[in-house]
Amino acid sequence: MSGIPYAEVIGDPIAQSKSPLIHKFWLDALGRTGDYRRAHIKADALAAFIDQRRTDPDWRGCNVTIPHKVAVMDLVDDPGNIRGTIGAMNTIVRQPDGSVIGTNTDAAGFYAPLAELDLDGAPVAVVGAGGAARAVLFALARAGVGHVTILNRSPLKAMGLLATFGLKGEVVGLDAQLPPAALLVNSSSLGMTGQPPLDLDLSPLADDAIVYDLVYAPLQTGLLKAAAARGLDTVDGLDMLIGQAALAFELFFGAAPPEGRDEELRALLTA
Ligand code: NAP
């Protein structure tokens, strides 16, 4: 115990995580004492990790990444019923009374760049049906989107998500033609460094469609390049990464991130 408040990000692997850069940038910018670390936690060590940390008064909590977002729900309190809604937790917070609660800031982080749009009844297409897709579909359902086309390698998993979030739509394979959607979201790992590319023909999308890629390594994915070449507006994965981190930062350190510093932060994250 050092007396210095700290939070961390846990996962397996974890070396790639940009969360420490983001949170330390904000701590420095605000002149606050605190730390944010990476912790490489394997699946069989997750329960012991949470048990150990819950007794550490300096620990403010942690962000949770692959592969722990579902398993961690069994280990913490869930006052917001995240299990019954999004079904995955990405932020764990230690309360002053020593209780440890879980929440999800991915959905709000995803939705923030779209908040000014009217998606009510809009047809959308979503690639992927993993943990990130759950946050995306939860947010899109709340925004009242219309017909949802999910493109995924494993169709059954995707069908379950349509039902879970009460969405009307269909599930198709990754080689299907896109619908004339107003919004296309890639929430799969395709296009990420080391993963196969996401090759989609974007011509069926509406002429004013927005293409949003959650992948942030690389930042300019093949999908975003193709969208820009078609003259479509794009949103990259750093917007969501910064958005979900901002909500978590406030829960950990009790202050909102500084305003007007996003460009500086983006430059740091892409350096
Ligand atoms: P996940 O739960 O492992 O899901 C991965 C998804 O990608 C599944 O739909 C999976 O299909 C699909 N997929 C993976 N490899 C594939 C392959 N070789 N061929 C076809 N489909 C494949 O991962 P996740 O947590 O949802 O993360 C997905 C992506 O979102 C990652 O790139 C992650 O970095 C990004 N992400 C970004 C943010 C952000 O803040 N920007 C936040 C969260 C996640 P199956 O269902 O068939 O397995």
Side-chain angles (χ1 to χ4, degrees), residues 66 69 106 127-133 152-154 157 174 186-190 192 195-196 213-216 236-238 240-242 244:
I66 295 172
K69 287 187 180 184
D106 277 340
V127 184
N152 199 50
R153 177 177 59 179
S154 313
K157 208 161 117 189
L174 290 164
N186 175 33
S187 67
S188 80
S189 318
L190 295 173
M192 206 173 148
Q195 297 290 324
D213 201 337
L214 267 57
V215 169
Y216 55 82
D236 67 44
L238 277 193
M240 174 171 169
L241 190 72
I242 294 172
Q244 61 78 28

Side-chain angles (χ1 to χ4, degrees), residues 3-205:
I4 295 175
Y6 73 100
E8 53 201 328
V9 56
I10 64 169
D12 177 26
I14 201 60
Q16 80 293 346
S17 174
K18 292 187 185 290
S19 293
L21 268 178
I22 299 174
H23 287 263
K24 284 184 179 180
F25 173 83
W26 286 332
L27 283 167
D28 282 351
L30 291 172
R32 288 179 83 97
T33 303
D35 196 11
Y36 188 102
R37 309 164 186 168
R38 283 186 187 88
H40 186 189
I41 305 295
K42 292 189 176 291
D44 60 3
L46 183 62
F49 169 84
I50 297 288
D51 270 355
Q52 191 279 327
R53 290 295 197 263
R54 71 168 71 236
T55 63
D56 180 352
D58 296 334
W59 188 65
R60 295 295 182 263
C62 63
N63 287 118
V64 181
T65 188
I66 295 172
H68 305 315
K69 287 187 180 184
V70 172
V72 79
M73 290 192 295
D74 290 337
L75 305 171
V76 299
D77 296 339
D78 183 15
N81 190 24
I82 299 299
R83 180 190 285 277
T85 54
I86 302 176
M89 289 176 174
N90 78 323
T91 304
I92 307 300
V93 184
R94 185 181 189 277
Q95 304 287 87
D97 67 1
S99 62
V100 175
I101 64 166
T103 188
N104 186 306
T105 66
D106 277 340
F110 160 74
Y111 189 64
L114 305 176
E116 302 297 315
L117 302 176
D118 181 8
L119 290 174
D120 195 24
V124 301
V126 175
V127 184
R134 298 188 74 94
V136 166
L137 292 168
F138 173 81
L140 293 178
R142 293 266 297 250
V145 296
H147 191 273
V148 179
T149 305
I150 303 184
L151 296 90
N152 199 50
R153 177 177 59 179
S154 313
L156 279 181
K157 208 161 117 189
M159 279 171 200
L161 291 189
L162 281 180
T164 298
F165 296 108
L167 291 161
K168 289 196 174 59
E170 62 185 331
V171 173
V172 296
L174 290 164
D175 54 357
Q177 193 184 352
L178 285 173
L183 171 69
L184 168 67
V185 180
N186 175 33
S187 67
S188 80
S189 318
L190 295 173
M192 206 173 148
T193 307
Q195 297 290 324
L198 176 58
D199 284 324
L200 295 175
D201 171 12
L202 303 185
S203 58
L205 294 178

